[in-house]
Short mmCIF file of all heavy atoms in Angstrom, two decimals:
data_model
loop_
_atom_site.label_atom_id
_atom_site.label_comp_id
_atom_site.label_asym_id
_atom_site.label_seq_id
_atom_site.Cartn_x
_atom_site.Cartn_y
_atom_site.Cartn_z
N ASP A 1 29.53 85.10 -28.86
CA ASP A 1 29.11 84.34 -30.04
C ASP A 1 28.56 82.99 -29.59
O ASP A 1 29.32 82.10 -29.22
CB ASP A 1 30.32 84.16 -30.97
CG ASP A 1 29.97 83.43 -32.24
OD1 ASP A 1 28.78 83.15 -32.47
OD2 ASP A 1 30.88 83.15 -33.02
N ARG A 2 27.24 82.89 -29.58
CA ARG A 2 26.62 81.63 -29.18
C ARG A 2 26.22 80.84 -30.41
O ARG A 2 25.49 81.33 -31.25
CB ARG A 2 25.38 81.90 -28.34
CG ARG A 2 25.76 82.46 -26.98
CD ARG A 2 24.54 82.67 -26.13
NE ARG A 2 23.90 81.38 -25.87
CZ ARG A 2 22.62 81.25 -25.52
NH1 ARG A 2 21.87 82.30 -25.40
NH2 ARG A 2 22.11 80.06 -25.29
N ARG A 3 26.74 79.65 -30.49
CA ARG A 3 26.39 78.80 -31.63
C ARG A 3 25.64 77.58 -31.13
O ARG A 3 25.98 77.03 -30.10
CB ARG A 3 27.64 78.31 -32.36
CG ARG A 3 28.34 79.40 -33.10
CD ARG A 3 29.47 78.84 -33.87
NE ARG A 3 30.45 79.90 -34.07
CZ ARG A 3 31.60 79.72 -34.67
NH1 ARG A 3 31.96 78.55 -35.09
NH2 ARG A 3 32.42 80.73 -34.83
N THR A 4 24.65 77.19 -31.89
CA THR A 4 23.91 75.99 -31.53
C THR A 4 24.30 74.91 -32.52
O THR A 4 24.15 75.09 -33.71
CB THR A 4 22.38 76.23 -31.61
OG1 THR A 4 22.11 77.56 -31.18
CG2 THR A 4 21.63 75.28 -30.75
N THR A 5 24.82 73.83 -32.01
CA THR A 5 25.24 72.75 -32.90
C THR A 5 24.09 71.79 -33.17
O THR A 5 24.10 71.05 -34.13
CB THR A 5 26.42 71.95 -32.29
OG1 THR A 5 26.05 71.53 -30.99
CG2 THR A 5 27.66 72.80 -32.23
N MET A 6 23.08 71.81 -32.30
CA MET A 6 21.93 70.93 -32.49
C MET A 6 20.71 71.76 -32.82
O MET A 6 20.59 72.88 -32.40
CB MET A 6 21.62 70.18 -31.18
CG MET A 6 22.36 68.90 -31.02
SD MET A 6 22.03 68.14 -29.41
CE MET A 6 20.27 68.25 -29.24
N THR A 7 19.82 71.15 -33.59
CA THR A 7 18.54 71.81 -33.78
C THR A 7 17.77 71.62 -32.48
O THR A 7 18.03 70.70 -31.73
CB THR A 7 17.76 71.18 -34.95
OG1 THR A 7 17.67 69.77 -34.71
CG2 THR A 7 18.45 71.43 -36.27
N GLU A 8 16.85 72.50 -32.22
CA GLU A 8 16.09 72.44 -30.98
C GLU A 8 15.28 71.15 -30.94
O GLU A 8 14.66 70.77 -31.93
CB GLU A 8 15.15 73.64 -30.91
CG GLU A 8 14.95 74.12 -29.50
CD GLU A 8 14.10 75.37 -29.46
OE1 GLU A 8 14.38 76.30 -30.23
OE2 GLU A 8 13.16 75.37 -28.66
N GLN A 9 15.31 70.47 -29.80
CA GLN A 9 14.49 69.28 -29.66
C GLN A 9 13.88 69.22 -28.28
O GLN A 9 14.36 69.86 -27.36
CB GLN A 9 15.27 68.01 -29.99
CG GLN A 9 16.37 67.65 -29.02
CD GLN A 9 17.11 66.39 -29.47
OE1 GLN A 9 17.48 66.27 -30.62
NE2 GLN A 9 17.31 65.47 -28.56
N ARG A 10 12.81 68.46 -28.17
CA ARG A 10 12.09 68.39 -26.90
C ARG A 10 12.89 67.60 -25.88
O ARG A 10 13.77 66.82 -26.22
CB ARG A 10 10.70 67.78 -27.11
CG ARG A 10 10.71 66.34 -27.52
CD ARG A 10 9.32 65.87 -27.91
NE ARG A 10 9.36 64.47 -28.26
CZ ARG A 10 9.23 63.47 -27.39
NH1 ARG A 10 9.01 63.73 -26.13
NH2 ARG A 10 9.29 62.22 -27.79
N SER A 11 12.56 67.81 -24.64
CA SER A 11 13.23 67.12 -23.54
C SER A 11 12.66 65.71 -23.40
O SER A 11 11.46 65.52 -23.32
CB SER A 11 13.00 67.92 -22.26
OG SER A 11 13.52 67.22 -21.16
N ILE A 12 13.55 64.74 -23.39
CA ILE A 12 13.14 63.34 -23.26
C ILE A 12 13.90 62.74 -22.09
O ILE A 12 15.13 62.86 -22.02
CB ILE A 12 13.46 62.55 -24.56
CG1 ILE A 12 12.69 63.15 -25.73
CG2 ILE A 12 13.13 61.07 -24.38
CD1 ILE A 12 13.12 62.63 -27.08
N GLU A 13 13.18 62.13 -21.16
CA GLU A 13 13.81 61.49 -20.02
C GLU A 13 14.65 60.30 -20.49
O GLU A 13 14.36 59.71 -21.53
CB GLU A 13 12.75 60.99 -19.02
CG GLU A 13 11.89 62.08 -18.42
CD GLU A 13 12.68 63.07 -17.58
OE1 GLU A 13 13.61 62.66 -16.87
OE2 GLU A 13 12.37 64.27 -17.65
N ALA A 14 15.68 59.95 -19.71
CA ALA A 14 16.57 58.85 -20.09
C ALA A 14 15.83 57.53 -20.25
O ALA A 14 16.20 56.70 -21.08
CB ALA A 14 17.68 58.71 -19.05
N ASN A 15 14.77 57.34 -19.46
CA ASN A 15 14.04 56.06 -19.52
C ASN A 15 12.70 56.19 -20.26
O ASN A 15 11.82 55.37 -20.10
CB ASN A 15 13.80 55.53 -18.10
CG ASN A 15 12.86 56.41 -17.31
OD1 ASN A 15 12.73 57.60 -17.58
ND2 ASN A 15 12.20 55.84 -16.33
N GLU A 16 12.57 57.21 -21.10
CA GLU A 16 11.31 57.46 -21.82
C GLU A 16 11.43 57.00 -23.26
O GLU A 16 12.37 57.36 -23.96
CB GLU A 16 10.98 58.95 -21.78
CG GLU A 16 9.73 59.32 -22.55
CD GLU A 16 9.53 60.83 -22.66
OE1 GLU A 16 10.21 61.59 -21.95
OE2 GLU A 16 8.70 61.24 -23.48
N ASP A 17 10.46 56.22 -23.71
CA ASP A 17 10.38 55.85 -25.12
C ASP A 17 9.97 57.12 -25.87
O ASP A 17 8.90 57.67 -25.62
CB ASP A 17 9.32 54.75 -25.30
CG ASP A 17 9.20 54.25 -26.74
OD1 ASP A 17 9.25 55.09 -27.66
OD2 ASP A 17 9.02 53.05 -26.92
N PRO A 18 10.82 57.63 -26.78
CA PRO A 18 10.51 58.89 -27.45
C PRO A 18 9.32 58.81 -28.41
O PRO A 18 8.76 59.83 -28.78
CB PRO A 18 11.79 59.23 -28.22
CG PRO A 18 12.51 57.94 -28.36
CD PRO A 18 12.11 57.09 -27.19
N VAL A 19 8.91 57.61 -28.79
CA VAL A 19 7.80 57.46 -29.72
C VAL A 19 6.46 57.47 -29.00
O VAL A 19 5.57 58.24 -29.33
CB VAL A 19 7.96 56.17 -30.57
CG1 VAL A 19 6.76 55.95 -31.47
CG2 VAL A 19 9.24 56.24 -31.40
N CYS A 20 6.32 56.61 -27.96
CA CYS A 20 5.02 56.48 -27.30
C CYS A 20 4.97 57.12 -25.91
O CYS A 20 3.89 57.28 -25.35
CB CYS A 20 4.63 55.01 -27.18
SG CYS A 20 5.64 54.07 -26.02
N GLY A 21 6.15 57.47 -25.34
CA GLY A 21 6.18 58.13 -24.04
C GLY A 21 6.20 57.19 -22.85
O GLY A 21 6.23 57.65 -21.72
N MET A 22 6.15 55.89 -23.08
CA MET A 22 6.18 54.93 -21.96
C MET A 22 7.50 54.99 -21.21
O MET A 22 8.53 55.29 -21.80
CB MET A 22 6.00 53.49 -22.48
CG MET A 22 4.58 53.10 -22.75
SD MET A 22 4.46 51.38 -23.32
CE MET A 22 5.08 50.49 -21.90
N SER A 23 7.47 54.65 -19.92
CA SER A 23 8.70 54.49 -19.15
C SER A 23 9.30 53.13 -19.50
O SER A 23 8.58 52.14 -19.56
CB SER A 23 8.43 54.54 -17.65
OG SER A 23 8.14 55.86 -17.27
N VAL A 24 10.60 53.11 -19.73
CA VAL A 24 11.28 51.89 -20.18
C VAL A 24 12.44 51.60 -19.24
O VAL A 24 13.16 52.51 -18.82
CB VAL A 24 11.82 52.09 -21.62
CG1 VAL A 24 12.57 50.88 -22.10
CG2 VAL A 24 10.70 52.45 -22.58
N ASP A 25 12.63 50.34 -18.90
CA ASP A 25 13.81 49.91 -18.15
C ASP A 25 14.95 49.84 -19.17
O ASP A 25 14.98 48.94 -20.02
CB ASP A 25 13.54 48.54 -17.52
CG ASP A 25 14.75 48.01 -16.75
OD1 ASP A 25 15.90 48.32 -17.11
OD2 ASP A 25 14.53 47.24 -15.80
N THR A 26 15.86 50.82 -19.14
CA THR A 26 16.88 50.91 -20.17
C THR A 26 17.81 49.70 -20.21
O THR A 26 18.21 49.27 -21.28
CB THR A 26 17.72 52.20 -20.03
OG1 THR A 26 18.15 52.33 -18.69
CG2 THR A 26 16.92 53.43 -20.42
N ASP A 27 18.11 49.13 -19.05
CA ASP A 27 18.98 47.94 -19.04
C ASP A 27 18.28 46.76 -19.71
O ASP A 27 18.88 46.03 -20.50
CB ASP A 27 19.38 47.56 -17.61
CG ASP A 27 20.33 48.58 -16.99
OD1 ASP A 27 21.10 49.23 -17.75
OD2 ASP A 27 20.31 48.74 -15.76
N ALA A 28 17.00 46.58 -19.41
CA ALA A 28 16.23 45.49 -20.02
C ALA A 28 16.10 45.74 -21.53
O ALA A 28 16.22 44.81 -22.33
CB ALA A 28 14.86 45.37 -19.38
N ALA A 29 15.84 47.00 -21.91
CA ALA A 29 15.72 47.33 -23.34
C ALA A 29 17.03 47.05 -24.06
O ALA A 29 17.03 46.49 -25.16
CB ALA A 29 15.31 48.80 -23.51
N ARG A 30 18.15 47.42 -23.43
CA ARG A 30 19.46 47.18 -24.01
C ARG A 30 19.68 45.67 -24.22
O ARG A 30 20.15 45.24 -25.27
CB ARG A 30 20.54 47.75 -23.09
CG ARG A 30 21.65 48.45 -23.81
CD ARG A 30 22.67 49.06 -22.84
NE ARG A 30 22.30 50.42 -22.48
CZ ARG A 30 22.11 50.86 -21.24
NH1 ARG A 30 22.26 50.06 -20.21
NH2 ARG A 30 21.79 52.10 -21.03
N ALA A 31 19.31 44.88 -23.22
CA ALA A 31 19.47 43.43 -23.28
C ALA A 31 18.64 42.81 -24.40
O ALA A 31 19.03 41.80 -24.99
CB ALA A 31 19.11 42.79 -21.94
N LYS A 32 17.50 43.44 -24.71
CA LYS A 32 16.61 42.94 -25.76
C LYS A 32 16.91 43.56 -27.12
O LYS A 32 16.20 43.30 -28.09
CB LYS A 32 15.15 43.25 -25.40
CG LYS A 32 14.65 42.52 -24.18
CD LYS A 32 13.23 42.97 -23.87
CE LYS A 32 12.74 42.41 -22.54
NZ LYS A 32 11.45 43.00 -22.17
N GLY A 33 17.93 44.42 -27.19
CA GLY A 33 18.25 45.08 -28.46
C GLY A 33 17.27 46.17 -28.83
O GLY A 33 17.08 46.48 -30.00
N LEU A 34 16.63 46.77 -27.82
CA LEU A 34 15.63 47.80 -28.06
C LEU A 34 16.15 49.20 -27.74
O LEU A 34 15.43 50.04 -27.21
CB LEU A 34 14.36 47.51 -27.25
CG LEU A 34 13.62 46.23 -27.63
CD1 LEU A 34 12.48 45.96 -26.66
CD2 LEU A 34 13.10 46.30 -29.05
N THR A 35 17.42 49.44 -28.07
CA THR A 35 17.99 50.78 -27.93
C THR A 35 18.65 51.16 -29.24
O THR A 35 19.04 50.30 -30.02
CB THR A 35 19.04 50.86 -26.79
OG1 THR A 35 20.09 49.95 -27.07
CG2 THR A 35 18.42 50.55 -25.44
N THR A 36 18.78 52.44 -29.45
CA THR A 36 19.53 52.94 -30.60
C THR A 36 20.17 54.25 -30.20
O THR A 36 19.71 54.92 -29.28
CB THR A 36 18.63 53.12 -31.85
OG1 THR A 36 19.46 53.35 -32.99
CG2 THR A 36 17.65 54.27 -31.69
N THR A 37 21.26 54.59 -30.87
CA THR A 37 21.94 55.85 -30.59
C THR A 37 21.74 56.78 -31.77
O THR A 37 21.90 56.38 -32.92
CB THR A 37 23.45 55.59 -30.34
OG1 THR A 37 23.57 54.67 -29.26
CG2 THR A 37 24.17 56.88 -29.99
N HIS A 38 21.36 58.01 -31.45
CA HIS A 38 21.14 59.04 -32.48
C HIS A 38 21.80 60.32 -31.98
O HIS A 38 21.52 60.77 -30.87
CB HIS A 38 19.64 59.25 -32.71
CG HIS A 38 19.34 60.34 -33.68
ND1 HIS A 38 19.56 60.21 -35.03
CD2 HIS A 38 18.86 61.59 -33.49
CE1 HIS A 38 19.21 61.35 -35.62
NE2 HIS A 38 18.80 62.20 -34.70
N ASP A 39 22.68 60.90 -32.79
CA ASP A 39 23.39 62.14 -32.43
C ASP A 39 24.06 62.04 -31.06
O ASP A 39 24.02 62.98 -30.26
CB ASP A 39 22.46 63.35 -32.46
CG ASP A 39 22.23 63.87 -33.88
OD1 ASP A 39 22.99 63.47 -34.79
OD2 ASP A 39 21.30 64.66 -34.06
N GLY A 40 24.61 60.87 -30.74
CA GLY A 40 25.34 60.70 -29.49
C GLY A 40 24.49 60.42 -28.27
O GLY A 40 25.00 60.32 -27.17
N HIS A 41 23.18 60.30 -28.45
CA HIS A 41 22.27 60.01 -27.33
C HIS A 41 21.67 58.63 -27.53
O HIS A 41 21.23 58.29 -28.62
CB HIS A 41 21.14 61.04 -27.25
CG HIS A 41 21.61 62.42 -26.95
ND1 HIS A 41 21.98 62.82 -25.68
CD2 HIS A 41 21.80 63.49 -27.75
CE1 HIS A 41 22.36 64.08 -25.72
NE2 HIS A 41 22.27 64.51 -26.98
N GLU A 42 21.63 57.86 -26.44
CA GLU A 42 21.00 56.54 -26.51
C GLU A 42 19.52 56.68 -26.16
O GLU A 42 19.17 57.36 -25.19
CB GLU A 42 21.67 55.57 -25.55
CG GLU A 42 21.06 54.18 -25.63
CD GLU A 42 21.64 53.21 -24.63
OE1 GLU A 42 21.75 53.57 -23.43
OE2 GLU A 42 21.97 52.10 -25.04
N TYR A 43 18.67 56.06 -26.95
CA TYR A 43 17.24 56.04 -26.70
C TYR A 43 16.80 54.60 -26.51
O TYR A 43 17.27 53.71 -27.20
CB TYR A 43 16.48 56.68 -27.87
CG TYR A 43 16.83 58.13 -28.07
CD1 TYR A 43 17.78 58.51 -29.01
CD2 TYR A 43 16.24 59.11 -27.29
CE1 TYR A 43 18.12 59.85 -29.17
CE2 TYR A 43 16.58 60.46 -27.44
CZ TYR A 43 17.52 60.81 -28.39
OH TYR A 43 17.86 62.13 -28.54
N ALA A 44 15.90 54.38 -25.54
CA ALA A 44 15.38 53.04 -25.25
C ALA A 44 13.91 52.99 -25.64
O ALA A 44 13.19 53.99 -25.53
CB ALA A 44 15.54 52.73 -23.77
N PHE A 45 13.48 51.82 -26.07
CA PHE A 45 12.11 51.67 -26.59
C PHE A 45 11.38 50.53 -25.90
O PHE A 45 11.98 49.55 -25.47
CB PHE A 45 12.17 51.44 -28.10
CG PHE A 45 12.85 52.57 -28.82
CD1 PHE A 45 14.22 52.56 -29.01
CD2 PHE A 45 12.13 53.66 -29.24
CE1 PHE A 45 14.86 53.63 -29.62
CE2 PHE A 45 12.76 54.74 -29.84
CZ PHE A 45 14.13 54.72 -30.03
N CYS A 46 10.05 50.66 -25.84
CA CYS A 46 9.21 49.66 -25.18
C CYS A 46 9.12 48.39 -26.02
O CYS A 46 8.93 47.31 -25.50
CB CYS A 46 7.81 50.22 -24.93
SG CYS A 46 6.88 50.56 -26.44
N GLY A 47 9.25 48.53 -27.32
CA GLY A 47 9.13 47.38 -28.21
C GLY A 47 9.72 47.68 -29.57
O GLY A 47 10.13 48.80 -29.88
N LYS A 48 9.74 46.65 -30.41
CA LYS A 48 10.36 46.76 -31.72
C LYS A 48 9.64 47.77 -32.63
O LYS A 48 10.28 48.47 -33.41
CB LYS A 48 10.38 45.38 -32.40
CG LYS A 48 11.26 45.33 -33.61
CD LYS A 48 11.42 43.92 -34.13
CE LYS A 48 12.39 43.90 -35.30
NZ LYS A 48 12.63 42.54 -35.77
N GLY A 49 8.33 47.87 -32.49
CA GLY A 49 7.57 48.79 -33.33
C GLY A 49 8.03 50.23 -33.14
O GLY A 49 8.28 50.95 -34.11
N CYS A 50 8.15 50.65 -31.88
CA CYS A 50 8.59 52.01 -31.59
C CYS A 50 10.03 52.23 -32.05
O CYS A 50 10.36 53.29 -32.60
CB CYS A 50 8.44 52.33 -30.11
SG CYS A 50 6.72 52.63 -29.60
N LEU A 51 10.88 51.23 -31.84
CA LEU A 51 12.27 51.34 -32.29
C LEU A 51 12.34 51.55 -33.80
O LEU A 51 13.05 52.44 -34.28
CB LEU A 51 13.05 50.07 -31.90
CG LEU A 51 14.45 49.93 -32.50
CD1 LEU A 51 15.39 51.00 -31.99
CD2 LEU A 51 15.02 48.55 -32.22
N LEU A 52 11.59 50.77 -34.55
CA LEU A 52 11.62 50.89 -36.02
C LEU A 52 11.04 52.22 -36.48
O LEU A 52 11.57 52.83 -37.41
CB LEU A 52 10.87 49.71 -36.65
CG LEU A 52 11.50 48.34 -36.42
CD1 LEU A 52 10.60 47.24 -36.98
CD2 LEU A 52 12.89 48.25 -37.02
N GLU A 53 9.97 52.67 -35.82
CA GLU A 53 9.39 53.97 -36.18
C GLU A 53 10.42 55.08 -35.98
O GLU A 53 10.58 55.95 -36.83
CB GLU A 53 8.15 54.27 -35.30
CG GLU A 53 6.96 53.40 -35.58
CD GLU A 53 6.27 53.75 -36.89
OE1 GLU A 53 6.24 54.93 -37.27
OE2 GLU A 53 5.75 52.82 -37.53
N PHE A 54 11.11 55.04 -34.83
CA PHE A 54 12.12 56.05 -34.53
C PHE A 54 13.25 56.01 -35.53
O PHE A 54 13.70 57.04 -36.03
CB PHE A 54 12.66 55.83 -33.11
CG PHE A 54 13.66 56.88 -32.69
CD1 PHE A 54 13.23 58.07 -32.13
CD2 PHE A 54 15.02 56.67 -32.84
CE1 PHE A 54 14.15 59.05 -31.74
CE2 PHE A 54 15.94 57.64 -32.45
CZ PHE A 54 15.50 58.83 -31.90
N ARG A 55 13.73 54.80 -35.85
CA ARG A 55 14.86 54.68 -36.79
C ARG A 55 14.50 55.23 -38.17
O ARG A 55 15.35 55.77 -38.86
CB ARG A 55 15.30 53.22 -36.91
CG ARG A 55 16.48 52.93 -36.01
CD ARG A 55 17.25 51.74 -36.44
NE ARG A 55 16.43 50.54 -36.40
CZ ARG A 55 16.89 49.33 -36.22
NH1 ARG A 55 18.17 49.12 -36.09
NH2 ARG A 55 16.08 48.30 -36.20
N ASP A 56 13.23 55.09 -38.57
CA ASP A 56 12.79 55.59 -39.87
C ASP A 56 12.80 57.11 -39.93
O ASP A 56 13.07 57.68 -40.98
CB ASP A 56 11.38 55.09 -40.20
CG ASP A 56 11.37 53.63 -40.61
OD1 ASP A 56 12.45 53.06 -40.88
OD2 ASP A 56 10.27 53.04 -40.65
N ASP A 57 12.49 57.79 -38.82
CA ASP A 57 12.39 59.25 -38.83
C ASP A 57 12.62 59.84 -37.44
O ASP A 57 11.68 60.32 -36.81
CB ASP A 57 11.02 59.67 -39.38
CG ASP A 57 10.94 61.17 -39.65
OD1 ASP A 57 11.95 61.89 -39.45
OD2 ASP A 57 9.86 61.63 -40.06
N PRO A 58 13.87 59.77 -36.94
CA PRO A 58 14.13 60.26 -35.58
C PRO A 58 13.75 61.73 -35.39
O PRO A 58 13.26 62.12 -34.33
CB PRO A 58 15.63 60.05 -35.37
CG PRO A 58 16.20 59.69 -36.69
CD PRO A 58 15.07 59.27 -37.57
N GLY A 59 13.94 62.55 -36.39
CA GLY A 59 13.63 63.98 -36.28
C GLY A 59 12.18 64.24 -35.92
O GLY A 59 11.88 65.17 -35.17
N LEU A 60 11.28 63.42 -36.42
CA LEU A 60 9.86 63.57 -36.13
C LEU A 60 9.61 63.43 -34.63
O LEU A 60 8.91 64.24 -34.03
CB LEU A 60 9.05 62.51 -36.89
CG LEU A 60 7.57 62.40 -36.51
CD1 LEU A 60 6.81 63.64 -36.95
CD2 LEU A 60 6.96 61.15 -37.12
N TYR A 61 10.21 62.40 -34.02
CA TYR A 61 9.95 62.09 -32.61
C TYR A 61 10.74 62.97 -31.65
O TYR A 61 10.41 63.04 -30.47
CB TYR A 61 10.21 60.61 -32.36
CG TYR A 61 9.34 59.76 -33.24
CD1 TYR A 61 9.88 59.09 -34.34
CD2 TYR A 61 7.98 59.68 -33.02
CE1 TYR A 61 9.06 58.35 -35.18
CE2 TYR A 61 7.15 58.95 -33.87
CZ TYR A 61 7.70 58.28 -34.94
OH TYR A 61 6.89 57.56 -35.78
N LEU A 62 11.77 63.64 -32.14
CA LEU A 62 12.58 64.52 -31.30
C LEU A 62 12.17 65.97 -31.41
O LEU A 62 12.64 66.82 -30.66
CB LEU A 62 14.06 64.37 -31.66
CG LEU A 62 14.65 62.96 -31.48
CD1 LEU A 62 16.09 62.94 -31.94
CD2 LEU A 62 14.54 62.51 -30.03
N ALA A 63 11.29 66.28 -32.35
CA ALA A 63 10.87 67.66 -32.59
C ALA A 63 10.15 68.23 -31.38
O ALA A 63 9.43 67.53 -30.67
CB ALA A 63 9.96 67.72 -33.81
N VAL A 64 10.35 69.52 -31.15
CA VAL A 64 9.74 70.22 -30.02
C VAL A 64 8.23 70.06 -30.00
O VAL A 64 7.62 69.88 -28.96
CB VAL A 64 10.14 71.72 -30.03
CG1 VAL A 64 9.39 72.48 -28.95
CG2 VAL A 64 11.63 71.87 -29.84
N GLY A 65 7.58 70.08 -31.15
CA GLY A 65 6.12 70.02 -31.22
C GLY A 65 5.53 68.63 -31.12
O GLY A 65 4.32 68.46 -31.05
N TYR A 66 6.37 67.58 -31.09
CA TYR A 66 5.85 66.21 -31.07
C TYR A 66 5.35 65.86 -29.68
O TYR A 66 5.98 66.13 -28.68
CB TYR A 66 6.94 65.20 -31.48
CG TYR A 66 6.44 63.77 -31.47
CD1 TYR A 66 5.61 63.30 -32.48
CD2 TYR A 66 6.77 62.92 -30.43
CE1 TYR A 66 5.14 62.01 -32.45
CE2 TYR A 66 6.31 61.61 -30.39
CZ TYR A 66 5.48 61.16 -31.41
OH TYR A 66 5.02 59.87 -31.38
N SER A 67 4.19 65.23 -29.62
CA SER A 67 3.63 64.79 -28.35
C SER A 67 3.45 63.27 -28.39
O SER A 67 2.63 62.78 -29.17
CB SER A 67 2.27 65.48 -28.14
OG SER A 67 1.74 65.09 -26.91
N PRO A 68 4.24 62.53 -27.61
CA PRO A 68 4.15 61.08 -27.66
C PRO A 68 2.80 60.57 -27.19
O PRO A 68 2.19 61.13 -26.28
CB PRO A 68 5.25 60.60 -26.70
CG PRO A 68 5.70 61.77 -25.96
CD PRO A 68 5.20 62.99 -26.62
N SER A 69 2.31 59.54 -27.87
CA SER A 69 1.05 58.93 -27.45
C SER A 69 1.08 57.45 -27.79
O SER A 69 1.68 57.05 -28.77
CB SER A 69 -0.14 59.61 -28.14
OG SER A 69 -0.03 59.46 -29.54
N MET A 70 0.40 56.69 -26.95
CA MET A 70 0.38 55.23 -27.14
C MET A 70 -0.79 54.83 -28.01
O MET A 70 -1.77 55.48 -28.10
CB MET A 70 0.27 54.52 -25.80
CG MET A 70 1.51 54.71 -24.99
SD MET A 70 1.63 53.54 -23.63
CE MET A 70 0.84 54.40 -22.33
#
């Protein structure tokens, strides 16, 4: 009996901004308040714009079909 507790989502690197795809220094982002936790995972962002976009609709940016672009 295999159960999936999460909906399928795309693979995101630990230092990848899930909105634009940029590489982010997670420690620096944390220091600037540019991280958020969603479903037990911490995500780091290049800037406030991407953070706010993600907070408004995390499912959009985590979806398998989403392709990040700057």
Side-chain angles (χ1 to χ4, degrees):
D1 182 6
R2 290 182 64 202
R3 290 185 205 177
T4 324
T5 53
M6 272 176 46
T7 54
E8 213 176 312
Q9 68 182 48
R10 67 189 182 87
S11 174
I12 299 169
E13 298 297 322
N15 67 335
E16 177 188 347
D17 183 319
V19 176
C20 70
M22 279 181 63
S23 287
V24 178
D25 179 330
T26 49
D27 291 331
R30 221 178 270 123
K32 294 176 187 172
L34 295 174
T35 60
T36 191
T37 303
H38 176 73
D39 280 346
H41 295 283
E42 182 183 48
Y43 297 97
F45 301 89
C46 66
K48 193 171 184 177
C50 285
L51 170 65
L52 295 174
E53 290 287 326
F54 183 85
R55 263 202 298 207
D56 285 347
D57 190 1
L60 170 68
Y61 302 106
L62 300 177
V64 173
Y66 180 76
S67 181
S69 61
M70 293 196 270

